[in-house]
Amino acid sequence: MSLPRSTSHSVDSLLGPGGALEAALPGYEHRPEQLQMARAVERAFNERSYLLAEAGTGTGKTLAYLVPALLSGRRVVVSTATKTLQDQIFFKDLPMMREKMGLRFEAAYLKGRGNYLCLHRYDSFSKDPQFSSREESRYWPKLKKWAQQTETGDRAELDLPESFSAWSRLSTTSETCMGTKCPLYENCHVTRMRKRAEGADLLVVNHHLFFADLALRSSGKRTEGVLPWYDAVIFDEAHALEDAASGHFGVSVSNYRLEELARDAVATLKEEDSRHAMLRALAARLRSSSEALFAQAPRALGLSGAESSVALKPETMEKLSTALEGVREALGALTAFTVGEREPELAAVTRRGDEMEEQLGFLEKAESPDHVYWAEQRGKGLFLRASPIDVAKELRERMYGALDTVVYTSATLAADSRFDFFARRMGLYGEDGQPVTQVRTLAVPSPFDFPTQAALYLPTHLPDPAAPGFIEAAAEEILKLCEVTGGRAFVLFTSLRNMVRAYELTVGRLPYQALLQGERPKQQLLEAFRETPSVLFAAHSFWEGVDVPGDALSLVIIDRLPFASPGDPLVAARINQLQQRGEEPFEAYQLPQAALALRQGFGRLIRTQSDRGIVAMLDRRIVTKAYGRVFLSSLPDARRLEDVVELSRWFNGPVRPVRTIR
């Protein structure tokens, strides 16, 4: 650690009235909300306690937790949901704190292993480079030159397409990495990254890396993670934690994973090695049995298309018992041949084969009451998965006992003004309903003047979202609303089907650039949106973590209340679990979860004190159903309108001065 607790700085001297931040940034005004949150975070560090802090957009929550974290004298992990926020913290906020606020500290930016060039795999690949297309092969000269010069090995330094398939053979994962047994371990980019992190006061990571590392450490099988030892964790964008954690505390076997094992097994030995022919034959057997399994699986399990999922039950898995047995036998034969061999590559094959054989057995039984089992098809990939239904128990067992200080923060943690839903989903209450540790809560309002800056349009003349003709009527409403604002709109959907249909119905009639999620990478879509008045049709990833301040975005249209689909296997399992506990799933899970999701969607609109615009909710149930009150009470206090003419008059009329709420 580079710096003990500072005696010359305090939260108040840096963030308070007349403090270092106000003096360093021209035009900056002290934010009471920011200081209030910073003091609460400081108290959590001093008391060794847990804090749930909801901080509305514009409060400056990032600095509100970074300052007390750096002053604490402890090594702190800051984990975010999005790369955008990760980049902002490391490349913007932290340098500003050094240069403008006089703080001295060391920070490290960490990503998952898959983001870094693996020197060992690169050496093997270079001897016989194979590409899936001529287009991919054109990147090879540039990649080779970069590999010789890079100091970090971070793929982000290269302008590679997201779909560059050869990268999986040039990088490694926690499963394929040989760790200390690798002949290039000391020079490894991940090893060097970890050593840099060991000297840092602050580690900036994302949720997926944090939980992948935690799952690896707590599995009992391997102890070397990517992250060094740390004292405390701050989870920003904490509303996304449950889904991130559940994906790493379960198991997944796919056709991709089995194919990669077969390919890596063959690559471990040179052709002149006497064992190579047998290893190649065993790998071919594994590949053949895997292909047989995944050729049968879609029809046997009831998968309905290239992007679909279905729950797995013991009786459905029984239909694949012969094919599954074939894969397990092939894995067993492969590991029986490689076990005991001295080469670390063959030892890794043995470990990976044993793990997959065990996981396939767990998946086939599909009998653990604490897990949900499902199959998922994504393009050419087919995945058999099992995840904990409830991550609360996992977090209590794997994390809370080892950490005395954890801060959860987001603009959306409270549903209907209460933190109970989030706290229970995160396991901060035990099965007896009692807190597992000292937990404080704080809700800091946004400084934005929402009654002046934002209007909430709530039409009731549209059909119910489940009624025939809804999306056609919604498309007409989208056209009218875009005319009010001159485009400059996000149209957010809860389903890809509705997104595509609405786009098809309006694209030829919009006098603005129309953009569709999936047609280009996300960053390119945002750049195009900012450059010219546009209408972006999007779902899923655009509901949160997207920041478009200023006039480029003046309208956010949401097609329907974002209830999670009860057809989703994980959602269905959570509903069933609550029913078995005697709880009402709608009140305890579905409603508060949807309310938080809607707040995220609303939050795309107002990003600065000069922003002004409209959020339109096309789902009449927010007004006509009793539970609509929960949604409305969770949203900022914007002006509510039901008539598009009145809405146009408000938006295009004289702009009242925005008052700053203190």
Side-chain angles (χ1 to χ4, degrees), residues 255-287:
N255 55 331
Y256 290 148
R257 193 175 168 203
L258 287 163
E259 168 59 29
E260 186 177 50
L261 177 60
R263 186 186 68 219
D264 289 351
V266 174
T268 57
L269 297 176
K270 297 179 180 179
E271 288 192 17
E272 54 266 28
D273 192 299
S274 60
R275 298 166 294 173
H276 181 80
M278 177 57 76
L279 193 58
R280 179 181 289 277
L282 292 169
R285 177 183 175 185
L286 175 60
R287 185 176 287 114

Side-chain angles (χ1 to χ4, degrees), residues 296-463:
Q296 296 176 35
R299 184 172 182 178
L301 301 177
L303 288 163
S304 57
E307 301 289 333
S308 60
S309 61
V310 63
L312 297 178
K313 304 292 183 184
E315 56 269 25
T316 56
M317 292 302 284
E318 177 65 27
K319 300 175 183 177
L320 294 174
S321 59
T322 301
L324 284 163
E325 182 63 24
V327 175
R328 286 202 305 273
E329 288 179 354
L331 287 167
L334 178 63
T335 56
F337 181 77
T338 58
V339 69
E341 296 292 343
R342 65 183 182 277
E343 292 90 347
E345 295 93 336
L346 292 176
V349 169
T350 304
R351 172 180 52 79
R352 292 165 62 188
D354 285 342
E355 286 179 358
M356 273 191 268
E357 188 176 358
E358 178 184 342
Q359 291 169 356
L360 277 173
F362 180 74
L363 288 162
E364 182 178 11
K365 292 178 182 177
E367 62 184 8
S368 170
D370 296 329
H371 284 71
V372 55
Y373 298 80
W374 80 102
E376 181 180 15
Q377 191 156 14
R378 295 207 309 262
K380 296 180 180 179
L382 203 159
F383 304 79
L384 303 177
R385 303 187 186 277
S387 290
I389 297 171
D390 187 349
V391 300
K393 180 180 178 182
E394 301 288 340
L395 293 175
R396 287 195 293 266
E397 293 178 351
R398 297 173 187 255
M399 187 172 76
Y400 295 158
L403 289 174
D404 57 24
T405 307
V406 180
V407 175
Y408 299 90
T409 186
S410 170
T412 55
L413 288 186
D416 201 16
S417 302
R418 300 181 59 172
F419 287 91
D420 297 32
F421 171 72
F422 179 82
R424 292 184 186 281
R425 301 306 301 178
M426 288 295 100
L428 294 173
Y429 291 98
E431 294 181 1
D432 58 358
Q434 297 301 311
V436 299
T437 186
Q438 184 177 4
V439 181
R440 297 187 183 277
T441 61
L442 174 73
V444 181
S446 169
F448 297 153
D449 180 8
F450 283 102
T452 300
Q453 292 182 256
L456 179 59
Y457 176 60
L458 304 172
T460 56
H461 62 273
L462 297 177

Side-chain angles (χ1 to χ4, degrees), residues 437-635:
T437 186
Q438 184 177 4
V439 181
R440 297 187 183 277
T441 61
L442 174 73
V444 181
S446 169
F448 297 153
D449 180 8
F450 283 102
T452 300
Q453 292 182 256
L456 179 59
Y457 176 60
L458 304 172
T460 56
H461 62 273
L462 297 177
D464 186 278
F470 167 75
I471 197 61
E472 288 76 15
E476 295 301 318
E477 201 73 13
I478 290 168
L479 291 168
K480 293 178 185 177
L481 289 166
C482 288
E483 185 177 348
V484 170
T485 59
R488 300 181 294 160
F490 276 7
V491 191
L492 303 178
F493 297 87
T494 57
S495 75
L496 293 174
R497 179 182 299 174
N498 274 3
M499 177 190 77
V500 172
R501 182 60 179 150
Y503 175 81
E504 292 172 345
L505 289 168
T506 58
V507 63
R509 302 167 63 190
L510 284 167
Y512 322 103
Q513 175 177 239
L515 304 169
L516 180 65
Q517 177 181 320
E519 286 189 338
R520 309 184 208 174
K522 184 176 181 179
Q523 197 55 42
Q524 289 185 19
L525 285 173
L526 288 173
E527 289 172 2
F529 184 88
R530 294 185 180 106
E531 288 173 0
T532 186
S534 305
V535 179
L536 171 64
F537 293 76
H540 308 307
S541 61
F542 282 86
W543 277 74
E544 57 185 79
V546 176
D547 193 7
V548 184
D551 293 338
L553 179 62
S554 296
L555 171 64
V556 174
I557 303 173
I558 298 172
D559 74 327
R560 58 188 299 168
L561 295 171
F563 287 109
S565 170
D568 178 276
L570 185 53
V571 173
R574 289 171 179 167
I575 290 172
N576 183 60
Q577 185 183 65
L578 289 167
Q579 288 173 332
Q580 291 179 348
R581 293 175 181 171
E583 298 183 55
E584 168 50 54
F586 185 77
E587 298 288 341
Y589 173 63
Q590 293 167 280
L591 183 57
Q593 185 271 339
L596 290 177
L598 181 60
R599 291 181 65 195
Q600 280 293 323
F602 188 106
R604 297 316 94 218
L605 182 67
I606 304 298
R607 309 302 295 177
T608 73
Q609 290 189 344
S610 62
D611 286 354
R612 188 168 178 271
I614 300 165
V615 173
M617 165 50 68
L618 305 186
D619 189 338
R620 62 184 296 169
R621 293 176 298 174
I622 196 171
V623 176
T624 61
K625 297 291 185 181
Y627 60 70
R629 178 198 61 79
V630 174
F631 289 100
L632 292 173
S633 67
S634 295
L635 294 176

Side-chain angles (χ1 to χ4, degrees), residues 166-336:
W167 186 257
S168 65
R169 286 167 290 178
L170 294 165
S171 61
T172 189
T173 65
S174 59
E175 180 181 54
T176 58
C177 178
M178 293 184 291
T180 55
K181 295 180 180 179
C182 178
L184 298 176
Y185 177 77
E186 291 300 326
N187 293 323
C188 168
H189 291 300
V190 174
T191 301
R192 293 164 66 185
M193 173 194 67
R194 192 178 189 279
K195 286 181 178 178
R196 288 193 297 270
E198 287 174 348
D201 308 285
L202 193 79
L203 310 175
V204 184
V205 307
N206 59 51
H207 296 342
H208 286 287
L209 175 58
F210 180 86
F211 286 114
D213 182 83
L214 183 64
L216 188 64
R217 293 170 182 274
S218 56
S219 66
K221 295 180 180 179
R222 302 179 69 194
T223 58
E224 185 183 87
V226 173
L227 304 184
W229 165 84
Y230 48 87
D231 299 295
V233 180
I234 297 172
F235 292 113
D236 200 345
E237 301 175 310
H239 59 274
L241 280 177
E242 183 172 19
D243 287 341
S246 64
H248 290 286
F249 294 150
V251 299
S252 173
V253 178
S254 67
N255 55 331
Y256 290 148
R257 193 175 168 203
L258 287 163
E259 168 59 29
E260 186 177 50
L261 177 60
R263 186 186 68 219
D264 289 351
V266 174
T268 57
L269 297 176
K270 297 179 180 179
E271 288 192 17
E272 54 266 28
D273 192 299
S274 60
R275 298 166 294 173
H276 181 80
M278 177 57 76
L279 193 58
R280 179 181 289 277
L282 292 169
R285 177 183 175 185
L286 175 60
R287 185 176 287 114
S288 176
S289 62
S290 171
E291 290 172 354
L293 168 64
F294 289 102
Q296 296 176 35
R299 184 172 182 178
L301 301 177
L303 288 163
S304 57
E307 301 289 333
S308 60
S309 61
V310 63
L312 297 178
K313 304 292 183 184
E315 56 269 25
T316 56
M317 292 302 284
E318 177 65 27
K319 300 175 183 177
L320 294 174
S321 59
T322 301
L324 284 163
E325 182 63 24
V327 175
R328 286 202 305 273
E329 288 179 354
L331 287 167
L334 178 63
T335 56

Side-chain angles (χ1 to χ4, degrees), residues 110-177:
L110 295 94
K111 303 178 183 179
R113 284 183 176 88
N115 291 282
Y116 299 92
L117 180 73
C118 172
L119 298 177
H120 183 63
R121 291 167 76 92
Y122 171 76
D123 284 349
S124 298
F125 185 87
S126 298
K127 294 170 185 175
D128 183 24
Q130 299 289 327
F131 298 94
S132 61
S133 68
R134 182 177 298 177
E135 181 64 29
E136 281 206 353
S137 68
R138 292 173 182 166
Y139 289 94
W140 181 232
K142 179 180 178 181
L143 199 154
K144 282 197 299 182
K145 183 179 180 181
W146 168 79
Q148 302 303 317
Q149 298 173 344
T150 180
E151 295 184 4
T152 68
D154 187 348
R155 172 183 172 161
E157 296 176 349
L158 277 172
D159 186 22
L160 287 177
E162 293 182 16
S163 59
F164 187 71
S165 61
W167 186 257
S168 65
R169 286 167 290 178
L170 294 165
S171 61
T172 189
T173 65
S174 59
E175 180 181 54
T176 58
C177 178

